[in-house]
Amino acid sequence: PGDDSPHPKVARDKPDLCRMVTAPKTGKCYCRGRLLGKGGFARCYEMIDLSSNRVYAVKVIPHSRVSKPHQKDKIEKEIELHKSLSNKHIVKFYHNFEDDENIYIFLEHCSHKSLAHILKARRTLTEPEVRYYLRQIILGLKYLHVRDILHRDLKLGNFFVNDNMEVKVGDFGLATKLLPVDQRKRTICGTPNYLAPEVLNKQGHGPEADIWSLGCVMYTMLFGRPPFETSDLKDTYRCIRAVEYTMPSSFSVAAKDLVGSILKKNPESRPTLDEIMNHDFFTKGFIPDVLHPSSCLMVPELSSPT
Ligand SMILES: CC[C@@H]1C(=O)N(C)c2cnc(-c3ccc[nH]3)nc2N1C1CCCC1
């Protein structure tokens, strides 16, 4: 509403009020903050609970974006699955609600974004850092697998890093309950990054395919690029089926051995999560207890115990 006071106008385009959202059931008020980015059907924002000043990372999904029943089912499945999880290494699901326009999913705010952002800034990570991050990812994945849940889209962009530099596995948009081999869906849904050979050959996605993705994640953190990346997607698929990749000479003997033991064509030949954790790469290498936020931008000077 324009006012006619002689005072200089408040910069109307930047009103100091924020976009308000009220949860119907609780009446709690949230202030919508900066746009964090897009993810699937969602525009993601920082949102602040005005009564507690807590900040959340919130997926805001317009009803119009999930108008078709199968799209709505997908969102509801993701919410039901994520809501049921509670683990130190899994992104915390706080609550969800709808208003006239949107579905809101309130998640743990991870101020250092994801390992994809950190790797982009660093190009490669040191082996102690990879041990530090991979250990937490494996603990999160173990929590899922013992509950017969497959993530099915493990990639650096889905490993979120919070203010304390702790890693949290997130984005359960492609996650599903493990089904007996004969009942598995065989079509590849979504755009998983690190597809295992058996998934490409439409044999269905088991826990071993999540382990394959971990091998690709480990390789990518150490080398700076994925093991099977070519300019042509068909060529990438051929390399995956043939398990054709180069092992960088810069990798330590233990790193080469672990990556080599995971990237196996036959799912049964791959190590279990426990076997990975007990591999020399972890047991014979220095694992920092904490990482300083500066390692998001530069090589940390890690004082390993002499
Ligand atoms: C909310 C969706 C997704 C996510 O799942 N989490 C947990 C998350 C946490 N903090 C952040 C975050 C805090 C500060 C910057 N990003 N972002 C998260 N994202 C990003 C938002 C855009 C694409 C994926």
Side-chain angles (χ1 to χ4, degrees), residues 34 36-39 43-46 56-59 82 91-92 105 107-114 117 157 160-161 168 170-171:
R34 69 180 169 125
L36 297 176
K38 295 204 177 80
R43 291 170 68 83
C44 308
Y45 293 90
E46 276 179 357
Y56 299 90
V58 182
K59 287 183 163 179
H82 198 167
V91 163
K92 190 162 172 39
I105 303 173
L107 301 172
E108 177 175 3
H109 185 269
C110 297
S111 60
H112 295 296
K113 300 187 189 176
S114 75
H117 295 89
F160 297 94
V161 181
K168 313 281 178 163
D171 195 339

